[in-house]
Amino acid sequence: MIKIDINKKLHGSNADMQLKVDLEIKENEFVALSGESGSGKTTLLRVLAGLEEAEGTIQVGSQIWQDSKSSLAPQKREIGFVFQDYALFDNMSVGQNLLFVNKDQNLCDHLLSITGMSELKKRSPNTLSGGQKQRVSLCRAMMKRPKLLLMDEPLSALDPYMRSKLQREILTLHKEFGTTTIMVSHDPSEIYRLSSRVIVLNQGQIINDGSAKDILLKTTGSAKFSFKGELLEIVKVDVIYIAIISIAQQLVEVVITADQAKSLSVGSIVNVSTKAFSPTITL
Amino acid sequence: MNILVAKVINIESVDSLNIVNFTLEDQNLSMMSLDLDENVKVGVEVELSMNPSHVAIAKEFSGTLSYSNQLKAKIVSLENGELLSSVKLLVNGSELESIITLNSSKKMNLQVGDNVTLLIKASELSILRVL
């Protein structure tokens, strides 16, 4: 069990806010941390890693990482940290980057083989692609066999194909090493595929905590197919009205009644939904 | 998803709204649609699709209904679940599925071999692709 009860004043872009997180995470849980930028996600990870100070306590298993009296140094906390920008040592080879953390040659080879990187062990990181660099960074984070793996949007700079490959590798490592993982992510498919629990932060506070499906499936009433969009225009045709709505870089048209046409105003954010029985799927 | 191959025989339009009529051998279908693909023209063959849960069944029906699409069909199989019933039907040689509640299926005493009428609203019919 990981018990987190911390408090920290943050200087947000608009106003100062309080990061206030009281949370228990089970061992081996895969937690996705979501929320708008500036909501305190990265700060929370950095506090857990000991890279930033905060008031309160952090307990991992029977070990106290932080309380009112003391704070364990980052290198003494059993964590792995994966950053969005890789943060590799370019003057060392791939293998040396891993061995820098822990001199375990067998573990190094094992990790490189799981991620299909064995051939690149002697290469310098700056000769690698983004996906390969992030694999090195992930392997390096696992070299300490961390109790807690922290990842800050590790895949957001990668293309969709590379993302889904790395998602599978992250899940393999998470299971094999039995770590508890906290990953900042905004991608619903990634959150759904990887996490067993989603925590949503807003203005430094937890506003939602549950399974990916409960939190990400946007529903109103019995509709299971629901999207938020901006109402761009309402056009009258014959006796019906057509609402033109922009959803995720696409336009959709929805037939509405005269009453609805009167009550809706152009520019407002609307929910477009239908029951799970209505849509059809084609390739 | 249900698919029927039919030929476009008429298109009526008002602004971006269209009513498209199709023929399927001796039976006719019609579809309500917003803007049509430019390839949808009189004379072309299309694949029409409709969701099984949007296909209703009428048996020994008399009277009139607003359903634009009333297709003669024969039941070829019935699969009853705990709550729903999946009814497979043959319409001019094509197999369609209707998903109705088990209650309805029992109430109507639907049996394999029954001649029934399929009911599909014009707004529930769509063109999957132009052939």
Side-chain angles (χ1 to χ4, degrees):
Chain A
M1 184 77 84
I2 297 174
K3 289 182 186 167
I4 302 163
D5 184 4
I6 56 135
N7 218 320
K8 182 181 173 71
K9 194 171 199 178
L10 294 183
H11 304 288
S13 48
N14 299 320
D16 286 359
M17 64 177 190
Q18 203 72 24
L19 176 69
K20 199 172 176 334
V21 174
D22 185 353
L23 189 63
E24 286 194 0
I25 298 172
K26 287 199 219 73
E27 230 165 272
N28 302 338
E29 209 164 18
F30 199 122
V31 176
L33 194 57
S34 190
E36 286 173 20
S37 60
S39 58
K41 304 180 299 289
T42 298
T43 307
L44 176 58
L45 290 197
R46 291 175 59 82
V47 168
L48 290 174
L51 300 170
E52 275 190 50
E53 285 179 8
E55 287 169 20
T57 57
I58 301 169
Q59 186 179 347
V60 178
S62 57
Q63 211 183 13
I64 305 281
W65 283 10
Q66 178 189 322
D67 61 15
S68 55
K69 287 166 280 178
S70 61
S71 175
L72 209 60
Q75 60 275 18
K76 298 227 169 105
R77 300 185 182 197
E78 291 166 90
I79 54 153
F81 209 128
V82 180
F83 303 88
Q84 189 187 338
D85 59 1
Y86 324 125
L88 297 169
F89 302 117
D90 280 337
N91 57 338
M92 296 182 190
S93 72
V94 167
Q96 285 166 338
N97 263 277
L98 269 61
L99 294 166
F100 179 80
V101 175
N102 173 0
K103 298 271 173 283
D104 188 337
Q105 196 61 252
N106 289 335
L107 180 59
C108 170
D109 290 344
H110 177 60
L111 283 166
L112 291 175
S113 118
I114 289 180
T115 52
M117 295 282 293
S118 302
E119 310 267 292
L120 304 173
K121 192 177 171 186
K122 298 212 156 50
R123 289 264 290 272
S124 159
N126 56 26
T127 65
L128 304 178
S129 71
Q132 289 167 335
K133 281 184 192 167
Q134 199 54 298
R135 282 198 176 92
V136 179
S137 167
L138 184 62
C139 289
R140 190 180 59 179
M142 299 312 289
M143 281 301 284
K144 265 205 222 167
R145 298 184 178 274
K147 282 219 173 88
L148 186 58
L149 177 61
L150 304 171
M151 296 191 279
D152 195 355
E153 298 192 53
L155 309 180
S156 57
L158 307 177
D159 64 66
Y161 173 73
M162 198 45 78
R163 285 182 94 135
S164 74
K165 267 188 96 158
L166 261 90
Q167 282 164 6
R168 283 196 292 275
E169 287 165 16
I170 287 173
L171 207 53
T172 306
L173 291 171
H174 167 80
K175 284 185 180 152
E176 181 174 332
F177 285 74
T179 58
T180 306
T181 303
I182 304 178
M183 174 174 180
V184 173
S185 177
H186 296 286
D187 176 356
S189 69
E190 183 167 293
I191 292 172
Y192 184 80
R193 224 174 276 165
L194 297 180
S195 70
S196 49
R197 179 176 174 191
V198 185
I199 290 168
V200 185
L201 279 185
N202 184 38
Q203 296 280 325
Q205 319 267 333
I206 295 174
I207 54 160
N208 226 335
D209 184 349
S211 76
K213 208 172 152 192
D214 288 342
I215 290 182
L216 298 171
L217 189 63
K218 303 261 185 269
T219 58
T220 41
S222 60
K224 292 285 175 285
F225 188 87
S226 175
F227 300 95
K228 263 198 169 44
E230 185 188 355
L231 180 60
L232 298 179
E233 197 184 0
I234 297 174
V235 185
K236 182 170 196 268
V237 182
D238 213 47
V239 296
I240 59 169
Y241 292 80
I242 300 165
I244 293 126
I245 299 155
S246 139
I247 299 175
Q249 272 106 52
Q250 288 197 48
L251 294 186
V252 299
E253 291 182 327
V254 178
V255 173
I256 57 174
T257 63
D259 282 349
Q260 274 186 303
K262 258 184 244 158
S263 67
L264 289 170
S265 52
V266 167
S268 54
I269 300 298
V270 293
N271 256 319
V272 177
S273 65
T274 174
K275 292 182 63 167
F277 293 91
S278 300
T280 49
I281 295 180
T282 49
L283 279 178
Chain B
M1 190 165 46
N2 286 317
I3 295 174
L4 274 180
V5 175
K7 190 191 236 177
V8 178
I9 50 170
N10 189 37
I11 301 175
E12 286 174 274
S13 310
V14 174
D15 298 330
S16 61
L17 181 68
N18 303 277
I19 302 287
V20 185
N21 293 303
F22 309 90
T23 173
L24 183 75
E25 294 176 28
D26 59 333
Q27 313 206 60
N28 287 337
L29 286 145
S30 82
M31 175 187 84
M32 196 188 288
S33 171
L34 299 184
D35 294 307
L36 290 169
D37 186 282
E38 57 182 20
N39 295 319
V40 177
K41 293 179 212 138
V42 171
V44 301
E45 288 216 308
V46 296
E47 275 184 354
L48 293 174
S49 72
M50 71 231 75
N51 258 320
S53 49
H54 289 154
V55 178
I57 299 174
K59 188 172 157 181
E60 291 151 16
F61 176 73
S62 64
T64 55
L65 282 171
S66 71
Y67 280 86
S68 306
N69 299 302
Q70 307 190 7
L71 299 170
K72 285 175 285 172
K74 192 186 207 83
I75 298 179
V76 289
S77 77
L78 269 166
E79 189 193 343
N80 289 331
E82 285 177 51
L83 298 174
L84 300 178
S85 180
S86 157
V87 187
K88 299 269 173 61
L89 308 111
L90 219 50
V91 178
N92 293 63
S94 301
E95 194 177 276
L96 297 186
E97 184 188 13
S98 165
I99 293 181
I100 57 178
T101 60
L102 183 62
N103 274 342
S104 294
S105 177
K106 281 187 172 159
K107 191 173 65 195
M108 295 169 75
N109 188 29
L110 294 181
Q111 303 288 340
V112 170
D114 280 357
N115 286 309
V116 294
T117 306
L118 291 191
L119 304 169
I120 306 157
K121 290 187 60 121
S123 54
E124 304 291 7
L125 197 63
S126 41
I127 294 178
L128 191 61
R129 64 190 182 110
V130 177
L131 296 173

